[in-house]
Amino acid sequence: MTLRALRDACLRGFLYGSLVYGAVLAAIHLVHNQVGSVTDALIVFAAFGLLYGLWAAVLFGLARLAAGFFARPDDRERRGLFWGLLAFNLVFWELFFLYGLTYDEAPLGPSAAWGMAGVLIVLALLFAVAVVAASWALARFTERLRDRRRLAGAVAALAVVALLVNAAEPLSLEPPAAGEMAPPAIQVADTGLKVVFVGLDGADWRVIQPLMEKGELPTFAAMMKQGASGDLGSIHDSNSAVIWASIYTGVTPDRHGVQDFYRISLPGMKTGLYPVHRTYFKELADLTAPLGLARQVPVDRFSMKTPPVWEVVDRAGLTTGVVDGYFYSFPALRPSRPESWFFTYGLDLLAERASPRAELFVQPKQLFREVRPLLAGGDFYWQSATLFEMLAKRPQPRFINFYTHEPDSAQHFYWKWWEPERYFGVTAQGLKENAERIPKVHRDFDAFLARLRKQVGPETVIVVASDHGHSPTIVHSLYTQHRHGPPGIVLMQGGPVKPGAVLRGADVYDLYPTLLYLLGLPVPRDAEGKVLLEALDPAFVRAHPVREVPSYAGLGLSPGIPGASRDGEMNDAEIEKLKALGYIF
């Protein structure tokens, strides 16, 4: 085989990858991110073109080399083209369709590992047949593009397709206009209630229920008996960063603006891109980031276009206490009331490295000295220890927000030993070492809730919720996935909550208006969810009818939020934390 033949094969691959995939995916990302800069748009088109073009060029070149050994001399070019198309298309589309496929999504509902493997094999073969047919048709079509006019016409047609992709949401290089809205006057009604919101990321009834039946979670069981509980519908095709932003703001992702854990910034860009799909761009960017070709910037409070619930409560003049509000609690709100306190997500990163700007993580800043000894030992340890430290030394605020990622990470990493029949390679030694990992985490939560109930008293409404549940998978580096939106949990107890009430049809958008209502704040009409009135005593609801305001969007960024973001070292530490949780590879 001549070098010219190899060069031509690589060139065909580059054109195919950059135009058919790179241009289209670049356009999708520009639409998804509403990129308003022409310069940024050109950088995105160039980056995606190079990324997919070089990937395809390598595969087309290898296919042409293979054809030189296995095809007849007069058939090598055609076979090399077909094999290159097949290799590229097969890798892309098999990953796209089968990536993280869960037992809940799989046809026929397999219950064991061999059944799931059979489903995956059948689906893979079906996709392979479809890709072979498509690649053959593309190869025949490409063979006809011998003269430059036909090639130019094909390129022009592909460019038009790229620009018109997602026709329902046309590409615009102008940023969306921000609607001007006057901040509402917040009139607080006296409900006589204090509220504690406990966010358990990834908590799932399919773990909690069996443990309750064994008598291992007496507090969960008592709260269900004495309060209201049910499934909590989640957001399809989203991750925790997106869903918690909706929980805390009560609006959809397109309104609060958070689309992933982090933005990916390409060299020369003014802004960054939220990835549309892991197999489109996200994991490729994860691989190129160490080379300096992409930078991952975690989301924070500045990423949200609408204020979270604790800022609304603070602006209403009520006392607040926050121990972690996920990414959106950074930087720390400087509360309007001196009795309030605020500890951000990522505070544990200062356990060994004190920051000269600790006030970005703790408010009032002098509290950092008190809690610094508590910051070692993992997320749930420092979070729960800090909460009880504040409750022991300070008056209980009207509203407390508590968040921990612990259930989610434990279930992602150890579900294989929770349902061993669903996985291959489960050994007796592995079961001995890991079978108690998930139960222990939940027993710790149960003990935490028992202590919390005792600390805050029966007239405080405790709302426990998760952003999603979990579903096992055998085709992912993590043992569970939740992109299809398995329901989370909601559990309410205390004050006017009805004993034994079963909540049906609740979803993550309902938490925000419910928390505001319990605190006596008006509910915004532009919130997506509803107040969970069915969980409450009708006499309380009659005495305290739901009041409304048009929106809280006009509140904007709280004046107590300092205009700062993480420094480079803290950004890197957050990225390492995401890697440890399995969200970056």
Side-chain angles (χ1 to χ4, degrees):
M1 184 184 69
T2 65
L3 289 177
R4 180 177 180 180
L6 180 61
R7 181 203 65 188
D8 290 346
C10 290
L11 180 59
R12 288 192 188 97
F14 184 84
L15 290 173
Y16 178 73
S18 62
L19 295 174
V20 176
Y21 284 82
V24 172
L25 294 176
I28 290 175
H29 277 81
L30 292 175
V31 171
H32 181 70
N33 289 272
Q34 298 180 315
V35 173
S37 164
V38 174
T39 301
D40 283 2
L42 293 175
I43 291 172
V44 171
F45 271 109
F48 275 76
L50 284 172
L51 188 65
Y52 282 91
L54 291 174
W55 176 18
V58 170
L59 291 179
F60 275 58
L62 293 174
R64 184 63 182 85
L65 287 172
F69 290 102
F70 299 106
R72 300 190 311 269
D74 61 340
D75 201 31
R76 287 172 182 169
E77 183 177 349
R78 185 171 66 86
R79 288 295 179 93
L81 176 62
F82 169 68
W83 292 346
L85 286 165
L86 178 61
F88 185 87
N89 294 334
L90 194 62
V91 170
F92 183 92
W93 291 107
E94 290 277 9
L95 283 174
F96 176 79
F97 282 112
L98 300 181
Y99 183 93
L101 185 73
T102 68
Y103 279 82
D104 290 350
E105 297 172 290
L108 307 178
S111 59
W114 282 109
M116 186 65 171
V119 168
L120 290 171
I121 290 170
V122 171
L123 290 177
L125 289 174
L126 291 174
F127 286 134
V129 170
V131 171
V132 167
S135 300
W136 179 84
L138 280 170
R140 294 297 301 272
F141 175 74
T142 305
E143 287 176 4
R144 298 182 180 183
L145 299 177
R146 292 295 185 181
D147 63 73
R148 293 181 180 178
R149 286 179 299 177
R150 287 181 175 178
L151 181 60
V155 171
L158 289 170
V160 170
V161 171
L163 291 173
L164 295 180
V165 71
N166 258 359
E169 189 179 5
L171 173 64
S172 171
L173 295 182
E174 293 297 327
E180 294 294 331
M181 190 176 296
I186 307 176
Q187 296 180 346
V188 183
D190 184 12
T191 62
L193 298 177
K194 294 180 179 180
V195 178
V196 179
F197 179 51
V198 177
L200 301 180
D201 196 307
D204 194 321
W205 290 122
R206 72 178 85 191
V207 174
I208 296 171
Q209 193 70 41
L211 292 174
M212 282 196 300
E213 292 172 358
K214 293 179 181 179
E216 296 185 31
L217 303 180
T219 309
F220 273 99
M223 290 181 71
M224 287 187 68
K225 183 177 180 180
Q226 299 168 17
S229 61
D231 285 346
L232 192 69
S234 190
I235 303 174
H236 184 79
D237 199 30
S238 295
N239 58 39
S240 293
V242 179
I243 304 168
W244 282 107
S246 286
I247 288 173
Y248 289 141
T249 63
V251 297
T252 56
D254 62 317
R255 289 177 58 195
H256 60 60
V258 175
Q259 302 288 346
D260 212 307
F261 293 103
Y262 54 85
R263 288 180 182 267
I264 297 171
S265 181
L266 302 171
M269 286 188 70
K270 298 176 183 177
T271 58
L273 297 175
Y274 287 118
V276 173
H277 188 278
R278 295 191 74 96
T279 57
Y280 280 169
F281 176 48
K282 188 170 183 176
E283 290 186 345
L284 290 174
D286 292 347
L287 295 174
T288 57
L291 304 176
L293 301 177
R295 182 169 179 262
Q296 298 141 327
V297 182
V299 295
D300 57 19
R301 171 60 185 92
F302 299 116
S303 305
M304 287 202 307
K305 300 175 183 176
T306 50
V309 59
W310 54 78
E311 286 184 30
V312 177
V313 174
D314 180 75
R315 297 284 279 274
L318 303 183
T319 53
T320 59
V322 173
V323 178
D324 209 327
Y326 209 24
F327 292 102
Y328 317 110
S329 56
F330 181 91
L333 168 71
R334 188 177 298 113
S336 61
R337 296 283 296 272
E339 312 97 303
S340 300
W341 32 267
F342 203 103
F343 301 89
T344 74
Y345 178 82
L347 175 60
D348 56 319
L349 298 174
L350 303 186
E352 298 180 359
R353 184 184 76 91
S355 170
R357 304 197 65 188
E359 68 271 14
L360 295 177
F361 297 84
V362 178
Q363 285 292 338
K365 62 182 180 181
Q366 59 266 27
L367 292 178
F368 179 63
R369 290 184 180 179
E370 295 183 32
V371 301
R372 188 175 181 184
L374 308 175
L375 299 183
D379 279 359
F380 181 60
Y381 173 81
W382 80 259
Q383 291 155 343
S384 57
T386 297
L387 174 61
F388 290 126
E389 179 81 0
M390 291 300 102
L391 289 174
K393 293 184 176 180
R394 289 173 166 249
Q396 180 185 332
R398 284 287 304 278
F399 175 67
I400 292 174
N401 187 90
F402 176 90
Y403 166 88
T404 182
H405 197 273
E406 201 73 30
D408 189 66
S409 55
Q411 289 166 183
H412 273 312
F413 286 114
Y414 298 110
W415 201 280
K416 180 176 181 177
W417 296 278
W418 172 251
E419 293 186 311
E421 69 279 3
R422 294 181 181 265
Y423 297 92
F424 295 107
V426 179
T427 64
Q429 183 63 29
L431 278 172
K432 181 180 178 182
E433 294 175 354
N434 298 306
E436 282 296 299
R437 299 271 193 172
I438 289 176
K440 181 184 182 305
V441 166
H442 286 78
R443 287 193 291 268
D444 289 345
F445 294 147
D446 196 80
F448 164 79
L449 290 174
R451 184 177 176 187
L452 180 65
R453 292 174 76 201
K454 183 178 180 181
Q455 189 81 39
V456 300
E459 290 307 310
T460 295
V461 178
I462 300 175
V463 180
V464 181
S466 65
D467 53 334
H468 57 73
H470 279 256
S471 182
T473 176
I474 61 175
V475 287
H476 195 276
S477 58
L478 303 175
Y479 293 122
T480 63
Q481 274 293 300
H482 43 77
R483 300 287 301 191
H484 66 287
I489 72 166
V490 59
L491 177 60
M492 302 172 60
Q493 185 258 320
V497 178
K498 289 191 297 186
V502 177
L503 300 176
R504 304 187 189 280
D507 65 37
V508 292
Y509 294 113
D510 298 335
L511 297 171
Y512 175 85
T514 300
L515 295 173
L516 294 176
Y517 169 76
L518 291 170
L519 290 164
L521 275 63
V523 174
R525 285 193 290 272
D526 65 350
E528 295 294 325
K530 62 186 180 301
V531 179
L532 295 173
L533 297 177
E534 63 271 31
L536 305 175
D537 185 337
F540 178 86
V541 175
R542 287 193 298 271
H544 303 282
V546 176
R547 297 177 303 117
E548 294 183 335
V549 291
S551 174
Y552 285 125
L555 291 175
L557 193 69
S558 172
I561 298 290
S565 59
R566 290 177 175 86
D567 59 29
E569 188 173 344
M570 294 307 296
N571 183 85
D572 294 342
E574 283 297 334
I575 292 298
E576 290 303 314
K577 190 170 185 177
L578 286 172
K579 288 181 179 178
L581 294 173
Y583 293 116
I584 301 179
F585 300 97

